[in-house]
Each structure stands twice: as structure tokens, then as C-alpha cells.
Amino acid sequence: MLLPPTNWLSQAPLEHLHLDWLTTAGIEVALLRLDQIDPLISGNKWFKLVEHLKAAERVGAEGIISLGGAHSNHLHALAAAGKRLGFKTVGLLRGHAQETPTVLDLQAFGMQLHWLGYGGYRARNEPDFWAPWQAQYPQLYAVPEGGGGLAGALGCAVIKEQAQAQLPSLGWTDYHGWWLACGTGTTLAGLVLTEGGAHPVYGALAVPDDHGVAPQVESIMQSAGLATADYELIDASRGGFAKVDPGLLAFIEQTEQASGVPLEPLYTGKALLALKQQVEAGRFAPGTRLIFIHTGGLQGRRGFIPTST
């Protein structure tokens, strides 16, 4: 059995985000704290995994093989789930062998690691990429990078359900849109599908254009048979994936002190800074209410933010 009992993780709290720049603009933001659903399997990662696990169980697989980098939140959540639920996990990693806090955790959780180099990792979208790995691990089910694809997106429908159920606690009857960081675009695609055009979804791109987020989102839309979709991708990469600069780190430190909400610099920190820039540019009218998804990934901050901050 790869799947746990229903509702085995905590529900994500939905809470007001109080920051001066939001108050000045007259914008209300509710923060969906997916970082609080579990100490290890946190953020949006489990939601993207659950439909893949169902598919793996249907074909009788004994575990999961997937891809990621040396700071991968996806692999971290997958390995932790595998250890807790008792299924095998294999990780195919970008680059060459290195020790990061994430990699050490993957090993402690029992994930078998293979380093692909950079050229080998770039080939992950080639038609024949998975063949040798499936030959080596025939008992495992292959999951795309980040838990992507239509299956990953469909698992994210629960995120909307959790948020909407808590709107009355904020005194809200409705909202005007979603804002979240995008690494593969899977969570954004899942929200777009479940919204069906009712509310727009704004994706703050934490990766450059060459990571192919837009084509991946469009591919998911096509797979789901959705002809039109209300979403927008906004560059928040600050020059590249995992690019961290003093301005971003200063913003994160100031925001954590003001709000008490922990952030990380690769996704949620970049997404919130991009929202601030859009708000200060007058993008949203006073009275706008947005749901901002905290996509977790706090384990990854260990490689970028000193523990003293």
C-alpha cells in the first residue's frame, strides 16, 4: 500500500497577512499555510503526489522513482512520505554528487540516489529517457519532475477546497484571485482547472522562461480538455532559478519580522516580493482580496539563509 488513510495530514490554516504595503494599498491577502500541514511532507508537494501514488498503486508498483535537484522540495517530501508509509523511493538528481542538507535528509529517509550530471538531467524530457531506469527499477512507478503532469495538477483541487472552507473565519464571502510561486506550473494548473474560470490565478515564476513552465501548463490544460483558462505568469525569478540576491534576502528578513511567517528564497519569498512590486505599481484596485499560497519548501532555506535569521 502506497497510500495513507484519508486526511492523514493537517488542514492548512488560512490567515490574514498583515503587512504595511498591503494596508497602504487597501489590498487584503489571506495566506494559506501549506507549510503547516506536516513537519516534513509540507507545502504543495503532497497534493501533487497523491494522484501519482494512486496510479502507482493501481498498477501494483512498490514505490516511486522521480527527479529533482540537490535542494528539491519535491524529492524531500517524496522521500519522507516513502519512509513514513513504507514504500521504496529512488531519486534522479541534477548535477554531480554533493552534500546539501536536503541530500543528507534524502539519504536518511532511505531514498536511493543517482546523480545524472547536467547533460543527463537536461535529457529528462526526451522520449527514451525513462526506458533504462524502468528496466533497472521495474517495480517502481515513474513520476515527472516536481510531481508534474495532469495527475499532479488534479491532486491540487483539494487546495481550493481547504481555502474556501475557511473564508467565513476571515469574514470573507469571496475572493478575487490566487497568487502563488511556480516552479513547474503544476499547482497553478490544478487551481486553474478547479476554478474553471471563476477566479484568476496569478503564477509568480520562480524559474526563467527556459524552464518551460508555460508549455507545461498549456499541456496540462490540453490534457484536461480545457479550451480557455484564466491565469497569468509573472516573472519573479530575479535572473534565474535559485538566484538569491541581497535585496531578496533583506525583504524576506523584514517580512518575517513584520508578519512572523517563515519564508524561503527560492519560491515563496520571490512570489511575495513580486506581489509587493505589482501592488505598489497599482496592479490591483483597493478592496481586492487575494489568496496567497505558502507552498512550503522551508527545508530548502537551509542552503541559502543562515539559521540565525
Side-chain angles (χ1 to χ4, degrees):
M1 294 289 291
L2 277 69
L3 288 168
T6 304
N7 299 326
W8 73 304
L9 300 180
S10 300
Q11 178 171 279
L14 184 70
E15 58 191 40
H16 285 293
L17 180 62
H18 298 290
L19 293 169
D20 289 346
W21 51 271
L22 290 171
T23 303
T24 299
I27 307 297
E28 292 186 70
V29 170
L31 186 66
L32 186 63
R33 298 290 303 273
L34 295 186
D35 60 305
Q36 293 191 345
I37 63 174
D38 188 83
L40 295 176
I41 310 166
S42 76
N44 57 338
K45 317 308 177 247
W46 173 253
F47 301 98
K48 293 193 291 181
L49 276 172
V50 66
E51 293 299 323
H52 289 294
L53 290 179
K54 289 178 182 178
E57 192 157 271
R58 284 196 295 269
V59 299
E62 297 176 9
I64 301 293
I65 180 170
S66 193
L67 306 103
H71 303 280
S72 172
N73 298 317
H74 163 65
L75 290 184
H76 194 270
L78 173 61
K83 179 176 176 61
R84 192 177 301 175
L85 299 174
F87 63 81
K88 299 176 182 177
T89 58
V90 172
L92 308 179
L93 279 81
R94 178 177 59 248
H96 304 290
Q98 57 179 298
E99 284 192 357
T100 67
T102 302
V103 169
L104 293 175
D105 279 353
L106 299 182
Q107 294 170 330
F109 295 153
M111 176 176 273
Q112 176 67 46
L113 306 183
H114 295 276
W115 295 88
L116 304 183
Y118 293 99
Y121 198 81
R122 281 194 296 271
R124 66 192 181 282
N125 296 319
E126 298 296 324
D128 59 349
F129 173 81
W130 283 108
W133 295 109
Q134 289 175 324
Q136 184 172 349
Y137 295 104
Q139 76 280 23
L140 301 187
Y141 185 85
V143 170
E145 180 182 27
L150 180 58
L154 292 175
C156 294
V158 178
I159 295 175
K160 178 187 174 183
E161 295 172 8
Q162 290 198 7
Q164 287 193 317
Q166 299 177 75
L167 291 180
S169 68
L170 302 181
W172 289 15
T173 56
D174 201 1
Y175 53 97
H176 299 101
W178 297 84
W179 191 282
L180 71 157
C182 289
T184 65
T186 306
T187 305
L188 175 139
L191 288 172
V192 171
L193 290 176
T194 192
E195 281 287 357
H199 301 91
V201 183
Y202 302 98
L205 284 168
V207 297
D209 285 344
D210 62 4
H211 278 58
V213 173
Q216 289 181 68
V217 173
E218 287 301 311
S219 176
I220 292 172
M221 298 296 105
Q222 292 171 9
S223 298
L226 191 66
T228 59
D230 191 359
Y231 72 93
E232 182 180 345
L233 299 176
I234 297 153
D235 181 26
S237 67
R238 302 183 72 81
F241 175 64
K243 290 285 188 180
V244 175
D245 57 81
L248 173 64
L249 294 178
F251 169 77
I252 288 173
E253 182 176 7
Q254 293 163 4
T255 302
E256 289 181 341
Q257 290 176 356
S259 67
V261 177
L263 303 171
E264 48 74 40
L266 301 191
Y267 296 100
T268 306
K270 285 185 175 181
L272 191 57
L273 179 53
L275 177 59
K276 179 176 186 287
Q277 293 167 341
Q278 293 286 312
V279 166
E280 292 180 341
R283 171 66 183 271
F284 298 106
T288 298
R289 291 176 169 176
L290 299 173
I291 299 177
F292 184 105
I293 299 180
H294 192 314
T295 50
L298 294 174
Q299 67 83 24
R301 68 183 265 144
R302 295 173 295 177
F304 297 90
I305 298 180
T307 55
S308 60
T309 60

